[in-house]
Amino acid sequence: MAHALGSLASVSPSVAADASLRKTRFKINNNLSFDNKLWIPMSSVNLKSRLSSTKYRCKVVPMSVQQTVRSKIPVQPLELEDAKEPPLNLYKPKEPYTATIVSVERLVGPNAPGETCHIVIDHGGNVPYWEGQSYGVIPPGENPKKPGSPHNVRLYSIASTRYGDSFDGKTASLCVRRAVYYDAETGKEDPSKKGVCSNFLCDSKPGDKILLTGPSGKIMLLPEEDPNATHIMIATGTGVAPFRGYLRRMFMEAVPTYKFGGLAWLFLGVANSDSLLYDDEFTGYLKDYPDNFRYDRALSREQKNKNGGKMYVQDKIEEYSDEIFKLLDGGAHIYFCGLKGMMPGIQDTLKRVAEERGESWDTKLSQLKKNKQWHVEVY
């Protein structure tokens, strides 16, 4: 996905992503304009004649450590910052918006259980959203439970900022795990019970049409009143989607009205190293913004917790519980996103830690909710 702004001439992507952190290939048929600077293919530049000209004298400047930090990427249209309230339900199930698939990319390695895809959708700027919101997708075909009627809407957390992966406000990205069903007795996959929408999305091709509803949701919106706030994000699997949007807004995009100077701390739970999602992006932020970003992975099939069992996100939370509780006491926001089965184990851990600290977890939780510090979206 090209991330040029301004004049974008004949750029066709082969996969979804910005060039700074994801593997992206471009077919360049013309000159590109990045932020009013002309970029042209090296083959068309006569370096020898340029360097010999007095007009192009070069001065070598030693690079400092600070200069190696990636510069933030300009975004547009900045009018997307103007709205005081998030866009909500612009398109309803009876009148969805017809968008177009830009690209589908497998995110996980060969040893990951299952397949997770990054899907970029072109909405032409007609279905704007804020970070933390969801789109509804209506898969093609008819609802088997209601013959003659379309399928029910499936909700997916949006995995990009409001500017999309191309930084121009015209696309949105989804992080989708293909839902398959294995027969308990035979151990074989049963195609008749596969997830209709996730398989449609993961099988889709560039140019395919997709019906969107929404955007929806307010519980996971990123509070931006205090740009120096602390945000603790806890995800399992594709639940990392909204957090990818937050982090791109904080660390990748040059948004004039939002300059993040706080702490973002991501806990991501997946099965193994091959199952990590957007790991290159997150490790890039760790390198570029070590004072503002922390990143802890829980790999259940590769790591052990302190009791010798599998390492889940709640074990990582327990490991850093003192710090987390102090941050919450100081006003930090905490977010949870992923399969609903993640919450009981996390809640049990937080309750146990609170009691060990001589606190009532029920009282603390109600206070966090009252203060709007507690954000949960599970499915």
Side-chain angles (χ1 to χ4, degrees), residues 186-211:
T186 65
K188 292 183 178 177
E189 188 179 325
D190 183 349
S192 69
K193 295 181 180 177
K194 68 181 182 181
V196 172
C197 199
S198 65
N199 280 272
F200 157 67
L201 288 168
C202 290
D203 289 336
S204 58
K205 303 285 186 289
D208 286 355
K209 299 303 177 186
I210 175 174
L211 298 179

Side-chain angles (χ1 to χ4, degrees), residues 239-301:
V240 77
F243 306 141
R244 178 183 185 253
Y246 295 176
L247 294 168
R248 286 171 78 90
R249 186 162 173 84
M250 291 169 178
F251 301 125
M252 186 183 287
E253 298 178 344
V255 181
T257 53
Y258 183 60
K259 298 188 186 301
F260 182 68
L263 172 66
W265 191 353
L266 174 64
F267 291 86
L268 175 59
V270 292
N272 56 21
S273 302
D274 267 18
S275 305
L276 286 166
L277 304 171
Y278 309 112
D279 195 61
D280 288 351
E281 287 188 22
F282 302 150
T283 51
Y285 304 145
L286 209 52
K287 180 183 166 199
D288 291 345
Y289 301 95
D291 296 333
N292 303 96
F293 183 55
R294 293 174 66 171
Y295 177 33
D296 283 278
R297 312 164 186 85
L299 309 176
S300 60
R301 299 188 186 179

Side-chain angles (χ1 to χ4, degrees), residues 31-278:
N31 297 343
L32 297 182
S33 168
F34 285 75
D35 207 23
N36 297 323
K37 297 183 182 70
L38 187 68
W39 291 56
I40 49 180
M42 287 301 291
S43 58
S44 64
V45 179
N46 185 333
L47 287 176
K48 189 174 178 183
S49 64
R50 283 198 163 199
L51 291 172
S52 62
S53 163
T54 54
K55 188 179 176 184
Y56 293 99
R57 282 181 184 154
C58 299
K59 181 180 179 183
V60 177
V61 181
M63 242 186 162
S64 71
V65 174
Q66 284 80 6
Q67 287 173 302
T68 63
V69 174
R70 276 174 278 250
S71 57
K72 291 190 174 183
I73 298 166
V75 291
Q76 66 174 27
L78 291 175
E79 289 76 20
L80 290 177
E81 302 295 322
D82 293 345
K84 297 290 181 256
E85 291 293 323
L88 284 170
N89 303 312
L90 303 177
Y91 290 89
K92 308 274 179 28
K94 289 185 178 175
E95 293 183 340
Y97 180 80
T98 302
T100 305
I101 298 287
V102 174
S103 57
V104 177
E105 178 191 3
R106 180 184 167 101
L107 282 175
V108 294
N111 296 318
E115 181 179 24
T116 302
C117 297
H118 182 76
I119 296 152
V120 179
I121 299 163
D122 183 351
H123 59 78
N126 298 309
V127 197
Y129 56 89
W130 284 7
E131 299 73 23
Q133 289 192 295
S134 299
Y135 271 167
V137 176
I138 303 174
E142 69 173 25
N143 189 333
K145 294 179 181 176
K146 296 178 185 175
S149 298
H151 282 287
N152 292 334
V153 172
R154 271 71 163 184
L155 290 178
Y156 291 92
S157 296
I158 298 171
S160 49
T161 73
R162 65 193 72 184
Y163 298 101
D165 285 6
S166 51
F167 308 99
D168 61 2
K170 293 181 180 175
T171 69
S173 301
L174 303 180
C175 178
V176 178
R177 177 163 175 161
R178 186 190 292 274
V180 292
Y181 176 82
Y182 291 91
D183 186 279
E185 291 182 11
T186 65
K188 292 183 178 177
E189 188 179 325
D190 183 349
S192 69
K193 295 181 180 177
K194 68 181 182 181
V196 172
C197 199
S198 65
N199 280 272
F200 157 67
L201 288 168
C202 290
D203 289 336
S204 58
K205 303 285 186 289
D208 286 355
K209 299 303 177 186
I210 175 174
L211 298 179
L212 297 179
T213 68
S216 62
K218 292 176 82 171
I219 189 71
M220 295 292 283
L221 292 174
L222 180 64
E224 297 189 356
E225 305 81 31
D226 178 6
N228 298 316
T230 295
H231 303 273
I232 302 165
M233 300 159 277
I234 295 155
T236 56
T238 57
V240 77
F243 306 141
R244 178 183 185 253
Y246 295 176
L247 294 168
R248 286 171 78 90
R249 186 162 173 84
M250 291 169 178
F251 301 125
M252 186 183 287
E253 298 178 344
V255 181
T257 53
Y258 183 60
K259 298 188 186 301
F260 182 68
L263 172 66
W265 191 353
L266 174 64
F267 291 86
L268 175 59
V270 292
N272 56 21
S273 302
D274 267 18
S275 305
L276 286 166
L277 304 171
Y278 309 112

